[in-house]
Amino acid sequence: MIEFHTEAFSLELNYPFSISNFSRSNTPIALVRLQYEGLIGYGEASMPPYLGETQESASHFFSKVSLRNFEPSQYLSIIEYIDNIEPGHHAAKAAIDIALHDLIAKIKGIPCYELLGSDPAKMPFTSFTIGIDHPEIIAIKMKDAAPFHFIKVKLGSAQDQVIINTIRAISDKPIYVDANRGWGSKEHALEMIEWLATQNVQLIEQPLEINQLADMEWLKLKSPLPLFADESCRRLYDIENIANAFHGINIKLMKSTGIAEAQKMIAKARALDLKIMMGCMSETSCGIYAAAALAPQVDYCDLDSPWMVKNNPFEAPLLIDGKIQLSKSAGLGLILK
């Protein structure tokens, strides 16, 4: 019998975090525990408000979940059951999926990455994200980015070139850019991308709105940099629809409903010759370790949240030479503070 427990939590950020159309200083979280024969599997739902989930909606969803008649060995049936309770609730579903994978790996006595078939030696560098901000604050944030080899920069405002120039005055590290749908027209997006290509920028995420798919196909043909779908690609069924408009996808467990579907997304993206980034929301180390267990199977990694928050209830992963080190402990490898 699996016991199911949840707890609301507010994750506090080191600095207010701004993207093209939103700013916040904390992120609502739902922490999940699955208990079975003395073992505990941990999971979390990270719910930044712009994604439409809340602690209240998660509580509503969790109230409909009963795992007492399941055994952990039935994890595929559990994941199917969870997904069929109600549509949506992607982050809430991810919390249960993550906890289930942590629990199963602990039962087997193996690290979660081994359960998923990942090779730690193939872990990509992870980037460190700089949100939209004033130049003096960006300069401070860049000090926090010192242990990382890649910088991810949020753009999509009137200050885009000022932000890049500020960073370039400090560092020549390669940059990933996330425009968060903020560039409006395909012409403006192309103008920005052509300029960014001269600034040691490696890739661009989500330059246009989700409904501008035809414009994205036009942009893909002309862009000197690879274009990655973020908001345009949440779950497995999205990939086929956007494959002609992007060079790659950003998989986030909070969008995909968790690890099980993320693995299917990786396989589908590979079959369509798409590159893959493993990304995150503002998450505790729980969500980050879960994503990191899959990260050796992808091309790019943006799993920086533990270094951007004040009250992570778990120890941050070990970062060596800009790469997250996967724990050899059974399960995700989480250590409670």
Side-chain angles (χ1 to χ4, degrees), residues 90-125:
H90 294 183
K93 292 173 181 178
I96 300 172
D97 169 286
I98 292 168
L100 188 59
H101 280 84
D102 187 28
L103 179 62
I104 291 167
K106 285 175 177 173
I107 291 170
K108 292 179 177 290
I110 60 175
C112 201
Y113 69 79
E114 186 176 329
L115 181 71
L116 302 175
S118 295
D119 179 0
K122 296 181 179 179
M123 177 68 74
F125 293 105

Side-chain angles (χ1 to χ4, degrees), residues 39-293:
L39 297 173
I40 300 176
Y42 293 96
E44 77 166 297
S46 172
M47 298 169 286
Y50 60 87
L51 290 182
E53 292 185 64
T54 64
Q55 288 175 333
E56 292 74 22
S57 70
S59 179
H60 160 79
F61 180 79
F62 292 148
S63 70
K64 299 191 173 189
V65 175
S66 176
L67 301 178
R68 291 181 176 273
N69 294 325
F70 288 100
E71 292 293 314
S73 60
Q74 300 171 285
Y75 72 97
L76 291 177
S77 297
I78 295 173
I79 288 168
E80 183 180 5
Y81 157 69
I82 294 297
D83 201 20
N84 288 333
I85 290 175
E86 278 187 9
H89 302 286
H90 294 183
K93 292 173 181 178
I96 300 172
D97 169 286
I98 292 168
L100 188 59
H101 280 84
D102 187 28
L103 179 62
I104 291 167
K106 285 175 177 173
I107 291 170
K108 292 179 177 290
I110 60 175
C112 201
Y113 69 79
E114 186 176 329
L115 181 71
L116 302 175
S118 295
D119 179 0
K122 296 181 179 179
M123 177 68 74
F125 293 105
T126 193
S127 56
F128 183 86
T129 304
I130 305 292
I132 295 172
D133 220 319
H134 300 294
E136 59 272 19
I137 303 299
I138 290 173
I140 295 172
K141 291 179 179 179
M142 284 296 294
K143 295 179 182 179
D144 294 338
F148 298 82
H149 293 200
F150 291 80
I151 307 298
K152 184 172 179 179
V153 182
K154 297 287 188 177
L155 297 183
S157 76
Q159 301 303 308
D160 285 354
Q161 293 198 6
V162 173
I163 290 170
I164 295 296
N165 287 335
T166 299
I167 292 170
R168 279 290 164 254
I170 299 168
S171 171
D172 61 357
K173 290 180 180 180
I175 289 175
Y176 306 150
V177 161
D178 186 357
N180 283 116
R181 302 167 290 156
W183 283 337
S185 72
K186 61 185 181 182
E187 292 84 6
H188 177 57
L190 181 59
E191 181 182 348
M192 285 300 304
I193 293 167
E194 288 176 339
W195 178 73
L196 290 167
T198 70
Q199 301 298 314
N200 196 16
V201 169
Q202 305 292 299
L203 60 86
I204 308 290
E205 284 185 63
Q206 201 68 43
L208 300 175
E209 286 285 356
I210 295 171
N211 60 5
Q212 292 180 268
L213 203 57
D215 288 346
M216 278 304 312
E217 291 183 11
W218 178 92
L219 192 59
K220 180 182 178 181
L221 292 173
K222 297 179 180 297
S223 174
L225 295 175
L227 308 176
F228 278 62
D230 186 352
E231 290 89 346
S232 289
C233 185
R234 302 184 73 178
R235 298 196 61 173
L236 178 66
Y237 51 68
D238 292 319
I239 299 177
E240 196 96 41
N241 295 332
I242 59 90
N244 291 332
F246 294 90
H247 300 92
I249 62 172
N250 185 340
I251 298 174
K252 296 178 181 176
L253 300 187
M254 300 302 144
K255 297 187 302 179
S256 73
T257 70
I259 294 170
E261 181 143 338
Q263 278 199 295
K264 295 177 183 178
M265 292 176 73
I266 290 171
K268 183 68 172 179
R270 292 298 186 210
L272 293 171
D273 199 28
L274 295 171
K275 294 292 187 180
I276 308 165
M277 172 182 281
M278 185 62 65
C280 66
M281 309 298 183
S282 298
E283 300 170 19
T284 76
S285 293
C286 180
I288 297 304
Y289 264 121

